[in-house]
Every structure is written in structure tokens, then in C-alpha cells.
Amino acid sequence: MRLSLFILFLAITTVVVGQKRLSEGILVFSVVTTKKDLPVGDTLIAQHFFKGAHTRTDLTGAVGKSVTLYDSREGSGAIVREFGSQKILIPLDTSSWSDKNAWYKASSVSYSSDEQKLLGYACKKASIKLVDGGQLEIWYTPEVVLDNNDTEFQMGDIPGLVLSYEYIIDETRVIYIARSLNFDPVPIQKFEIPNAGYRILSYADSKKQF
């Protein structure tokens, strides 16, 4: 009995020691949309910044940029959009943040034995059926644990860091693939919400316009 407990302890310790904790750093994805297997629009770049309870996502393309900032401890943030001459700021609270991320609410999750490596990390596959009728195909690595999983891409309780995901609905696919990951410190100024130069739009009104 003692031997069994000792072996179990060693196994758990090995997993914990082998894991990296991402409490601060930057994860970068490329984003491609296809319809009927043909590209739609240009390739976007999604940069995710982490620092404790703070998250920031920059989604950048040829026509403009959208920045999402959120502090999960304070329950506040904003979406900042810059397209041409348009500069819009949409405040977020816990309710609007939850609604914004409700698109990946799962009706079921299944885990596969398929494996592949992304960015040098061993990844496992999961499939999520969404309540909106769509589907997510996810590749995640158990080797990295995100301290703050209240993000736009982590999909809730996936047991590891998501490094690739594909949203599928009808004939449309939106594919995110991680291009780089680092654990470098991120200046706190990166998470500051602009206080001037933007037209303020409520979250409710933004849902009608975008």
C-alpha cells in the first residue's frame, strides 16, 4: 500500500514539475477564415497578452485593429476598435464579458487519443459541440497551464493551454494556429484602457452594429 502511494506521489510530482505555468507572457496566433475551402479576407494576427488577472487581445488585419482588454479581478475592461477614421471604445463589465464569450458554450466535449506537436509542445485533441450548432476542434498542451483561463480563446475547462482551434459552422471555418509563445514580462501599461480620443458605444448597441 505504501509503495503504491509512493509511486502515485512520484507520478503526480513529475506531472506538476514538468508543467509550465503561464501567468505572464505573450501568445500569438495566425487566423484564417475559409468558406467552401476558399480563403475569405486576409490572414489576421491575434496577440494575447497575460499578466495575472489582466488579459489583452490584439486582433490585427489590413483594414484595422480590435483590442480587447479585461481585468478578471476587477470585472472591467473594454473593446477598442480602430478601422480607418473610426475609433470606438466599448466598455465591458462581468455581464458583457460573459455574454461576449458565450459563443463557445458547450453542449458536449469529447477528448481524442490523437496527438501532435505545436511550438515544440505535445498537444492533445478535443472536440466541442456548441449550443449554437457550431463545432470547435481544439489542440491543447497539458505541458502549460494558464493561470487566468478567463480569456477569449481558452474555452473554459480545457485541461491545458489551447495552441490551435478551428471553429466550424456550416461551410465556414475560422482557424487559429499558435505561431509563438513566450513567458516574458509584460508592462502593466499594456493593459490600460484609453481615456480620450474614442467614441463611447455601449456593449448592447455594439451588438446591433457589429
Side-chain angles (χ1 to χ4, degrees):
M1 181 66 175
R2 287 183 179 179
L3 179 60
S4 297
L5 289 173
F6 179 68
I7 293 172
L8 178 60
F9 171 77
L10 283 180
I12 294 172
T13 303
T14 301
V15 171
V16 172
V17 170
Q19 282 182 333
K20 291 183 178 180
R21 300 201 69 85
L22 179 54
S23 58
E24 187 166 8
I26 306 170
L27 176 59
V28 180
F29 291 90
S30 62
V31 188
V32 177
T33 301
T34 66
K35 188 168 185 177
K36 296 183 179 179
D37 297 325
L38 296 175
V40 177
D42 60 333
T43 298
L44 306 178
I45 299 298
Q47 294 178 285
H48 296 280
F49 301 85
F50 311 97
K51 191 180 186 71
H54 298 276
T55 61
R56 170 178 173 148
T57 298
D58 292 17
L59 186 62
T60 307
V63 298
K65 181 177 182 178
S66 178
V67 177
T68 302
L69 303 139
Y70 194 70
D71 181 348
S72 59
R73 183 179 294 112
E74 297 296 327
S76 64
I79 301 169
V80 182
R81 290 186 169 139
E82 297 182 7
F83 296 96
S85 61
Q86 289 192 66
K87 299 179 72 175
I88 299 170
L89 189 146
I90 305 162
L92 296 172
D93 57 18
T94 53
S95 176
S96 52
W97 179 251
S98 178
D99 181 78
K100 182 179 183 300
N101 295 324
W103 68 270
Y104 62 73
K105 186 176 181 181
S107 61
S108 67
V109 182
S110 60
Y111 293 92
S112 167
S113 59
D114 294 349
E115 295 184 354
Q116 69 166 316
K117 280 204 168 185
L118 292 170
L119 303 182
Y121 295 101
C123 293
K124 298 183 177 182
K125 187 178 182 181
S127 297
I128 299 177
K129 289 185 178 180
L130 303 173
V131 294
D132 70 355
Q135 182 176 338
L136 283 170
E137 299 289 346
I138 293 171
W139 289 94
Y140 68 94
T141 177
E143 296 178 12
V144 182
V145 178
L146 188 59
D147 274 354
N148 177 10
N149 64 4
D150 187 17
T151 71
E152 296 182 275
F153 73 96
Q154 188 56 25
M155 320 306 171
D157 297 325
I158 295 297
L161 181 66
V162 174
L163 292 181
S164 176
Y165 64 95
E166 182 174 350
Y167 173 67
I168 307 164
I169 186 163
D170 299 327
E171 297 177 322
T172 300
R173 294 171 179 261
V174 183
I175 306 160
Y176 281 68
I177 301 176
R179 296 307 184 193
S180 65
L181 169 64
N182 71 60
F183 297 79
D184 297 337
V186 181
I188 191 62
Q189 293 81 4
K190 197 75 175 174
F191 305 94
E192 292 179 353
I193 298 172
N195 55 19
Y198 291 84
R199 177 168 70 90
I200 306 299
L201 185 67
S202 72
Y203 178 74
D205 287 339
S206 74
K207 291 183 68 176
K208 299 173 186 176
Q209 294 189 25
F210 298 101

